[in-house]
Amino acid sequence: MKGYQFSKYLPNDLPKGGFEELLKLFTQLLNYTAGDAGEALAWMNELDKQYKFTNNDYGMGDFIEDLKEKGYLKEEDGEVKITAKTEQSIRKSALEEIFGKLKKAGKGNHNSNISGIGEEKNADRREFNFGDSLDQIDMTASIHNAQINHGIGNFTLTERDLEVEEKDYKTLTSTVLMIDISHSMILYGEDRITPAKKTAMALAELIKTKYPKDTLDIVVFGNDAWPISIKDLPYLQVGPYHTNTFAGLELATDLLRRRKTHNKQIFMITDGKPTCLKENGRYYKNSVGLDRKVISKTLNMAAQCKRLNIPITTFMIAKDPYLQQFVRQFTQINGGRAFYSSLNGLGEYIFEDYIKNRRKTVR
């Protein structure tokens, strides 16, 4: 009988040559170069010198020509730029990287935490009530109950014998993903914007392919807040900004007001405290400590979201105790949730929370 032979696992993430392998590396590098194709190719050339992942049969020149022929690159104003096809490849790559680590969810939309006359069976059983539909009746269990209650010799099936299968409602969800693009997202020797950007691209691709009836709006916030489209995500960069969380929440709430779905939620990725407000066209800024004026307005906005039944899930990617204390207060006022996640686990946290959709359905 043949058995299994185990050996030491040696990871090798570098491409082994060929177009498909090099394309994976190219799309990864585009995340770090904010969609700058020329810089990404320059990095690939340097990596090739060090690790020699091309060969005499297929070199970097061949790869660049293939990128152009296959529609991944275009020349515009003397510069090499990525195309819409490449933007989608980056989103798909991010989706495979993050979603591939999770268990596959059932098809369709999100399950809510309310049982009753729904769309997907669950493990709950109960007695038949007037108004239940016939397709909910578990005939096998009902016949079994009748045999126990009345005996086999004289088979009788009454209303009290009927057993009903509960079903979970599926819901449509409107989500706003807020991304902090203040300067601190690249400070302290840590790149925080790339994991946030990659997560946003993956979430956008997930919704487009798996939950097409759901909506996703993306809001970035620094000194101000503004919406961006999905196709803009690969090019997203941090600016010389403070953190106007209030403006981000105000815009996110306004976007969700226009959506007709019952389930609405905000996901906020941030690494710092609110430090900025805009009043009468002028910026009020204070980066020292927790400014009472800025914090007060931000907490008031969290309370307003609660009144509108919009829970906020905060993904805090900073470890400072006083910042975490602010997030706890913010979450308590809103009635939402908070995760203090590492950069490596950010995508998994957001995907699990989105797919499970633990929020109470508002009907």
Side-chain angles (χ1 to χ4, degrees):
M1 177 179 174
K2 272 194 170 182
Y4 294 96
Q5 183 176 356
F6 295 92
S7 60
K8 185 177 179 183
Y9 173 64
L10 298 174
N12 184 11
D13 294 331
L14 289 172
K16 301 177 177 63
F19 177 78
E20 293 300 329
E21 288 286 324
L22 294 177
L23 180 62
K24 291 179 183 177
L25 177 60
F26 180 59
T27 54
Q28 286 290 328
L29 290 175
L30 286 171
N31 287 315
Y32 296 96
T33 64
D36 189 325
E39 187 178 356
L41 290 171
W43 284 16
M44 286 190 72
N45 274 313
E46 291 302 315
L47 290 170
D48 187 28
K49 289 178 185 178
Q50 185 173 354
Y51 296 104
K52 298 179 175 56
F53 44 71
T54 63
N55 51 52
N56 294 334
D57 297 323
Y58 193 83
M60 280 298 300
D62 297 314
F63 174 62
I64 294 171
E65 287 302 312
D66 281 347
L67 285 174
K68 293 177 181 178
E69 289 181 10
K70 295 177 186 292
Y72 290 97
L73 286 183
K74 62 181 178 182
E75 290 194 15
E76 200 172 89
D77 300 326
E79 293 184 17
V80 178
K81 296 184 178 180
I82 63 175
T83 64
K85 184 177 181 179
T86 313
E87 293 166 1
Q88 185 179 23
S89 294
I90 298 172
R91 295 197 302 269
K92 284 185 176 180
S93 175
L95 176 61
E96 290 168 3
E97 179 183 338
I98 296 172
F99 192 58
K101 299 176 184 177
L102 303 176
K103 293 180 180 178
K104 298 295 184 182
K107 64 180 180 179
N109 296 316
H110 315 289
N111 296 332
S112 73
N113 60 352
I114 295 180
S115 294
I117 304 173
E119 301 175 31
E120 186 172 299
K121 296 178 182 179
N122 63 28
D124 295 336
R125 296 289 189 273
R126 60 172 172 81
E127 291 184 2
F128 178 85
N129 292 321
F130 179 77
D132 289 335
S133 60
L134 294 178
D135 66 334
Q136 283 185 267
I137 299 174
D138 185 339
M139 292 306 301
T140 302
S142 298
I143 292 171
H144 178 69
N145 293 339
Q147 290 173 340
I148 293 174
N149 295 335
H150 311 293
I152 299 176
N154 184 21
F155 179 76
T156 303
L157 182 66
T158 68
E159 183 178 323
R160 292 189 61 186
D161 302 321
L162 297 179
E163 189 169 311
V164 171
E165 295 176 312
E166 290 279 35
K167 294 184 179 181
D168 289 331
Y169 285 99
K170 290 185 177 180
T171 62
L172 297 178
T173 302
S174 292
T175 303
V176 173
L177 178 62
M178 291 174 51
I179 304 176
D180 185 348
I181 58 168
S182 62
H183 189 53
S184 60
M185 290 288 278
I186 55 170
L187 286 179
Y188 317 116
E190 192 170 41
D191 175 14
R192 297 166 174 173
I193 189 62
T194 300
K197 182 169 61 174
K198 189 182 294 185
T199 298
M201 288 189 289
L203 186 59
E205 192 66 16
L206 174 74
I207 290 175
K208 287 182 67 175
T209 56
K210 192 171 180 64
Y211 305 110
K213 293 182 180 180
D214 283 6
T215 65
L216 174 67
D217 292 287
I218 301 167
V219 168
V220 296
F221 61 105
N223 289 349
D224 298 285
W226 61 94
I228 64 171
S229 65
I230 292 173
K231 68 181 183 63
D232 295 329
L233 280 169
Y235 312 101
L236 186 62
Q237 298 184 65
V238 167
Y241 306 126
H242 286 68
T243 308
N244 192 343
T245 308
F246 175 85
L249 291 171
E250 189 176 43
L251 176 57
T253 303
D254 185 53
L255 291 170
L256 288 174
R257 276 198 188 102
R258 304 173 194 174
R259 300 298 184 185
K260 302 304 180 184
T261 52
H262 292 301
N263 280 9
K264 300 176 181 182
Q265 60 187 356
I266 295 173
F267 288 168
M268 179 169 65
I269 304 173
T270 184
D271 74 330
K273 58 185 179 292
T275 60
C276 177
L277 293 172
K278 193 172 185 179
E279 300 177 315
N280 301 318
R282 299 182 64 181
Y283 294 107
Y284 174 85
K285 304 174 184 176
N286 183 4
S287 299
V288 181
L290 292 172
D291 185 280
R292 181 178 298 178
K293 182 176 181 180
V294 177
I295 295 300
S296 177
K297 289 205 70 172
T298 304
L299 294 179
N300 286 341
M301 196 67 215
Q304 182 178 337
C305 288
K306 182 178 182 179
R307 289 192 293 272
L308 294 170
N309 293 312
I310 301 175
I312 303 167
T313 302
T314 305
F315 297 89
M316 186 67 171
I317 48 179
K319 299 177 182 178
D320 309 65
Y322 81 103
L323 293 180
Q324 293 188 358
Q325 177 59 38
F326 160 71
V327 171
R328 279 192 287 272
Q329 185 181 6
F330 178 90
T331 302
Q332 185 177 11
I333 288 174
N334 172 256
R337 291 160 38 125
F339 293 97
Y340 306 96
S341 62
S342 67
L343 293 174
N344 291 333
L346 178 63
E348 287 85 342
Y349 271 120
I350 289 182
F351 270 50
E352 286 181 354
D353 204 54
Y354 184 81
I355 294 168
K356 289 179 181 178
N357 192 26
R358 295 172 180 171
R359 307 298 186 277
K360 181 177 180 181
T361 307
V362 181
R363 297 197 298 150

